[in-house]
């Protein structure tokens, strides 16, 4: 379900029942938490393993525990490419649990989903056939301008039944001949986002899109190598896609100062994150115009800011 509209969906299915439960990973996107607030449901965050991945046994134990408390676990969000560190949940294990226990499995692949057009990265989505819904954002990494979010549903009728209000003045002679998306959402109208996605696919083609994504991931690994070569820095999370999480060796305060200095210099802009009280900086490779020289220039800017901070 579209997470921002999840509240309506949940109320339609469960009415006024308040003891339903939504499961997410600690690093799940804030929109999932917002959906829980809109739906008036309990939200439970689960801890990942050492690789920041949610595992099936953790989920199964949590569902069993909450059912014993009289709660109704109904919805799990698995993330492929978390916002904070681009970590991947173990979708195959999670899918087995959801199928065994009758729980809806939604896959949030907002950023990393675009990379699955490259066959060599599809191992990260093993178990996708067990999902009930899947979402990714072409406006994040498929070079489509904002906003464009693609949604797949195993059983579209679940959403249609939840949103369907069909008064006489909205009926027409062509009903049933094509999907009527006013039954899939809150608004009656819908922006024509598919057209701009179609133009990008026509302009680039699959091979060029694959080439760009592979180039971005290679540049991320290039930046990773630059970080590792400077003994003052450390890479704090595994680099899988186009995101590098790094920091100065030391406490959080010095890294907060480093970020302020980098952004204050006005040449590049970075966004931080924090996991397990470890504050780090995030360099994202995402422009279709980026070259190795841009990565090198960004690294030199980071080094210059680090020199000022450490001095």
């Amino acid at each position: 379900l579209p997470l921002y509209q999840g509240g309506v969906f949940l109320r339609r299915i469960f009415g006024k029942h308040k003891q339903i439960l939504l499961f997410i990973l600690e690093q799940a996107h804030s929109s999932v938490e917002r959906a829980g607030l809109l739906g008036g449901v309990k939200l439970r965050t689960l801890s990942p393993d050492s690789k920041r991945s949610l595992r099936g046994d953790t989920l199964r134990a949590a569902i069993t525990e909450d059912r014993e408390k009289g709660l109704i676990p109904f919805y799990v969000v698995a993330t492929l490419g978390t916002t904070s560190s681009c970590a991947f949940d173990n979708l195959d294990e999670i899918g087995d649990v959801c199928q065994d226990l009758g729980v809806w499995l939604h896959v949030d692949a907002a950023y990393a989903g675009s990379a699955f057009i490259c066959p060599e990265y599809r191992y990260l989505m093993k178990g996708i056939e067990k999902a009930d819904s899947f979402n990714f954002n072409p406006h994040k990494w498929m070079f489509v301008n904002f906003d464009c979010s693609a949604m797949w549903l195993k059983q579209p009728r679940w959403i249609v039944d939840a949103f369907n209000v069909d008064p006489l003045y909205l009926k027409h002679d062509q009903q049933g001949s094509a999907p009527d998306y006013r039954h899939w959402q809150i608004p009656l109208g819908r922006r024509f986002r598919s057209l701009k996605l179609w133009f990008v696919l026509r302009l680039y083609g699959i091979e060029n899109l694959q080439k760009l994504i592979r180039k971005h991931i290679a540049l991320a690994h290039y930046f990773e190598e630059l970080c590792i070569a400077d003994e003052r820095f450390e890479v704090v999370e595994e680099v899988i896609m186009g995101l590098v999480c790094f920091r100065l060796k030391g406490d959080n305060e010095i890294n907060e100062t480093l970020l302020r200095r980098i952004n204050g210099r006005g040449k590049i802009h970075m966004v931080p994150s924090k996991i397990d009280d470890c504050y780090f900086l995030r360099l994202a490779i995402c422009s279709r115009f980026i070259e190795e020289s841009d990565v090198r220039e960004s690294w030199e800017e980071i080094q210059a800011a680090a020199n000022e901070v450490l001095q």
Side-chain angles (χ1 to χ4, degrees), residues 1 6 9-10 13-14 19-23 41-42 63 67 71-76 102-105 132:
L1 67 157
F9 177 81
L10 299 178
I13 292 180
F14 294 100
Q19 301 301 312
I20 51 183
L21 200 63
L22 166 67
F23 291 92
V41 300
K42 295 180 181 294
I63 291 177
R67 282 182 171 174
L71 300 171
I72 304 174
F74 75 103
Y75 186 71
V76 172
V103 177
W104 182 292
L105 174 58
D132 295 290

Side-chain angles (χ1 to χ4, degrees), residues 4 35 39 49 54 66 68 72 74 77 81 112 126 132 136 138 142 159 168 180 196 198 202 240 242 260 299 304 308:
Y4 286 109
D49 65 10
L54 178 61
D66 287 316
E68 291 174 353
I72 304 174
F74 75 103
V77 178
K126 182 183 178 183
D132 295 290
F136 83 106
M142 203 176 274
I159 300 297
L168 181 61
D180 195 338
K196 56 188 177 184
W198 182 85
R202 292 286 293 174
I240 301 177
R260 287 195 297 269
W299 173 241
E308 295 175 5

Side-chain angles (χ1 to χ4, degrees), residues 17-35:
H17 202 299
K18 297 298 183 182
Q19 301 301 312
I20 51 183
L21 200 63
L22 166 67
F23 291 92
I24 63 172
L25 182 68
E26 288 177 349
Q27 291 188 54
H29 195 272
S30 59
S31 63
V32 185
E33 183 176 357
R34 180 176 293 181

Side-chain angles (χ1 to χ4, degrees), residues 15 42 82 127 228 238 245 255 280:
K42 295 180 181 294
T82 59
I228 294 173
E238 183 182 2
C245 302
N255 283 283
F280 55 87

Side-chain angles (χ1 to χ4, degrees), residues 48 112 129 140 168 174-175 189 228 247 260 292 302 308:
E129 70 279 359
K140 280 193 170 70
L168 181 61
Q174 302 302 318
Q175 286 192 185
I228 294 173
R247 70 197 304 266
R260 287 195 297 269
E292 185 174 303
I302 292 167
E308 295 175 5

Side-chain angles (χ1 to χ4, degrees), residues 88-220:
F88 290 79
D89 289 337
N90 192 311
L91 184 59
D92 200 27
E93 293 181 3
I94 294 171
D96 286 339
V97 174
C98 290
Q99 287 189 334
D100 289 346
L101 302 180
V103 177
W104 182 292
L105 174 58
H106 174 71
V107 177
D108 175 7
Y111 162 68
S114 298
F116 299 146
I117 65 173
C118 301
E120 64 268 30
Y121 297 115
R122 291 178 190 162
Y123 74 96
L124 294 164
M125 61 187 298
K126 182 183 178 183
I128 189 63
E129 70 279 359
K130 303 168 188 176
D132 295 290
S133 54
F134 178 91
N135 173 261
F136 83 106
N137 294 343
H139 68 239
K140 280 193 170 70
W141 206 11
M142 203 176 274
F143 316 106
V144 178
N145 62 301
F146 190 84
D147 63 339
C148 181
S149 185
M151 185 77 177
W152 174 86
L153 295 162
K154 180 174 287 186
Q155 291 289 349
R157 63 180 178 80
W158 283 66
I159 300 297
V160 173
D161 291 346
F163 285 101
N164 188 4
V165 177
D166 204 16
L168 181 61
Y169 55 79
L170 290 178
K171 293 184 181 295
H172 54 84
D173 294 338
Q174 302 302 318
Q175 286 192 185
S177 60
D180 195 338
Y181 290 110
R182 64 190 169 94
H183 298 320
W184 293 51
Q185 59 187 17
I186 294 174
L188 293 177
R190 189 179 184 89
R191 290 179 57 195
F192 200 6
R193 297 175 180 88
S194 57
L195 184 61
K196 56 188 177 184
L197 175 58
W198 182 85
F199 273 117
V200 169
L201 295 174
R202 292 286 293 174
L203 177 64
Y204 284 92
I206 181 66
E207 292 183 1
N208 281 324
L209 288 171
Q210 291 172 332
K211 181 179 178 181
L212 279 167
I213 287 175
R214 287 167 178 151
K215 176 182 177 181
H216 283 188
I217 295 175
L219 289 175

